Amino acid sequence: MKKSILVITCFAIAGTLSILSCRKSKTEKSAFDKVYERVNDPQNRYFWEQFHNGSVENVKTVISKLEQQYREDSTNLIATAHLGFARFWLLSEGLRGGIPPQEIPGHVADARKYFAKAYEMNPNDKRLLGFLADAEMALASITQSDELQQQGYAKGLESITAWPQFNKFTIGVTFSGFPTQSPPFQQALEWQWTTLEDCYTASVDRANPAIQEFINKDLSGHNLGKKRACYNSWIAPHNIEGYFLNMGDMIVRTGDHATAKKIYALAKASPNYNSWAFKEVLEKRIENAERNTTVFLDQTQQGIDNVIIASSGYNCSSCHKMSAADQDRFKNYDWAGYFRTRDIYSVNGLKP
């Protein structure tokens, strides 16, 4: 009798725990929901407004708002990741916004800290791994640490293996200003070429890269998985144009102005080229390509028409800035829904 009572009691407890478990599973938010419910936070909206406006003079305010949010909840993935992104924006364009050079090491260290924390929180987002690699290599350059340099480069290669369409550019752009005969520059330029194969077509004639038919597509309404890095979107409304501007600049530095002109011209195949804020910059590049084979190697030069885009203070803006026409095009765009439906942070894993 006592044994049967004990068995019944055990079943009753098990049943109660089962009910409680079911109730918990119905009310507890998934990791996916926890992330995407924060997309439309005021701090995040402010980040994107300033970033799309190219308002680097407000980047410290962006950082301050995100830091306050992070202090209130250090498990907020979006705030953590964007503290890394905002630091990279400041480092890429901050001198144009009046950021003192002596502040750079601290911002590099902070970028590394926040990207490392964000990647620890969400190792599915291989963008974070690529930017963490860049931060570690930048910090290694400042601290003269060979060990950290090797560590960062290894992370960069890992990020490229995971998402080549995105991270070949992320890692390669950091080497775009290196001496043209150096192994890092040569590798970075090779990555630019092979990204075209990863993105558009397996066969690219480097003497005549006529791939306009693959570029001139408006795929903003499609869920492209890894290939979203290959086309324009709300996040980077001129991703295509900025890519070919940077790649053309790298080729100009090698002295091959004829091929550089063909690469620059590919930007014109973008369906959004006419609304690009840097259209005139690119057309001057084509006109002055031969001249720039010398000018782009002169470290004393200044001004966007005389230096490569990666060193101009407009590196991020060349892909991400929205012109007035872009702002009008996206006026009623459900960007928060876009983040969620495309799983931009790869919470559920990076889709092929």
Side-chain angles (χ1 to χ4, degrees), residues 148-173:
L148 186 57
Q149 181 70 35
Q150 292 169 5
Q151 178 180 307
Y153 189 66
K155 284 187 173 74
L157 294 179
E158 182 184 348
S159 75
I160 286 171
T161 298
W163 194 354
Q165 296 92 334
F166 190 94
N167 285 312
K168 283 181 179 178
F169 179 83
T170 301
I171 307 303
V173 73

Side-chain angles (χ1 to χ4, degrees), residues 62-225:
V62 170
I63 290 171
S64 177
K65 289 177 180 290
L66 291 169
E67 283 179 336
Q68 177 61 37
Q69 195 177 25
Y70 180 81
R71 284 193 293 269
E72 293 170 359
D73 179 10
S74 62
T75 68
N76 185 332
L77 173 65
I78 293 177
T80 307
H82 283 204
L83 278 167
F85 291 141
R87 282 316 197 298
F88 264 22
W89 179 26
L90 180 149
L91 290 165
S92 176
E93 302 190 352
L95 294 179
R96 175 168 61 87
I99 305 300
Q102 62 268 25
E103 293 184 6
I104 289 175
H107 290 302
V108 172
D110 281 342
R112 182 197 183 196
K113 177 180 76 172
Y114 288 117
F115 280 130
K117 177 71 181 295
Y119 186 62
E120 180 183 354
M121 293 163 66
N122 183 25
N124 287 331
D125 192 344
K126 299 306 178 183
R127 300 175 308 165
L128 299 174
L129 180 60
F131 286 120
L132 173 58
D134 283 341
E136 289 192 346
M137 287 188 287
L139 190 60
S141 179
I142 292 170
T143 61
Q144 298 296 295
S145 170
D146 291 338
E147 181 180 356
L148 186 57
Q149 181 70 35
Q150 292 169 5
Q151 178 180 307
Y153 189 66
K155 284 187 173 74
L157 294 179
E158 182 184 348
S159 75
I160 286 171
T161 298
W163 194 354
Q165 296 92 334
F166 190 94
N167 285 312
K168 283 181 179 178
F169 179 83
T170 301
I171 307 303
V173 73
T174 64
F175 302 138
S176 58
F178 276 48
T180 58
Q181 297 304 314
S182 68
F185 180 90
Q186 292 292 320
Q187 177 63 83
L189 185 55
E190 179 65 16
W191 282 334
Q192 306 311 293
W193 281 110
T194 57
T195 295
L196 304 186
E197 297 169 354
D198 297 330
C199 279
Y200 305 120
T201 174
S203 178
V204 176
D205 181 354
R206 297 190 182 189
N208 184 33
I211 58 173
Q212 289 86 342
E213 64 178 297
F214 301 101
I215 297 166
N216 189 18
K217 297 178 180 178
D218 183 359
L219 298 175
S220 56
H222 293 70
N223 196 345
L224 300 171

Side-chain angles (χ1 to χ4, degrees), residues 45-62:
R45 279 191 278 113
Y46 185 75
F47 167 84
W48 284 113
E49 287 168 2
Q50 300 309 310
F51 195 44
H52 278 152
N53 285 335
S55 301
V56 71
E57 65 275 10
N58 294 331
V59 67
K60 285 194 171 182
T61 304
V62 170

Side-chain angles (χ1 to χ4, degrees), residues 200 214 217 219 224 227-233 239-240:
Y200 305 120
F214 301 101
K217 297 178 180 178
L219 298 175
L224 300 171
K227 285 200 173 184
R228 67 180 169 88
C230 308
Y231 294 94
N232 294 344
S233 65
N239 184 54
I240 292 170

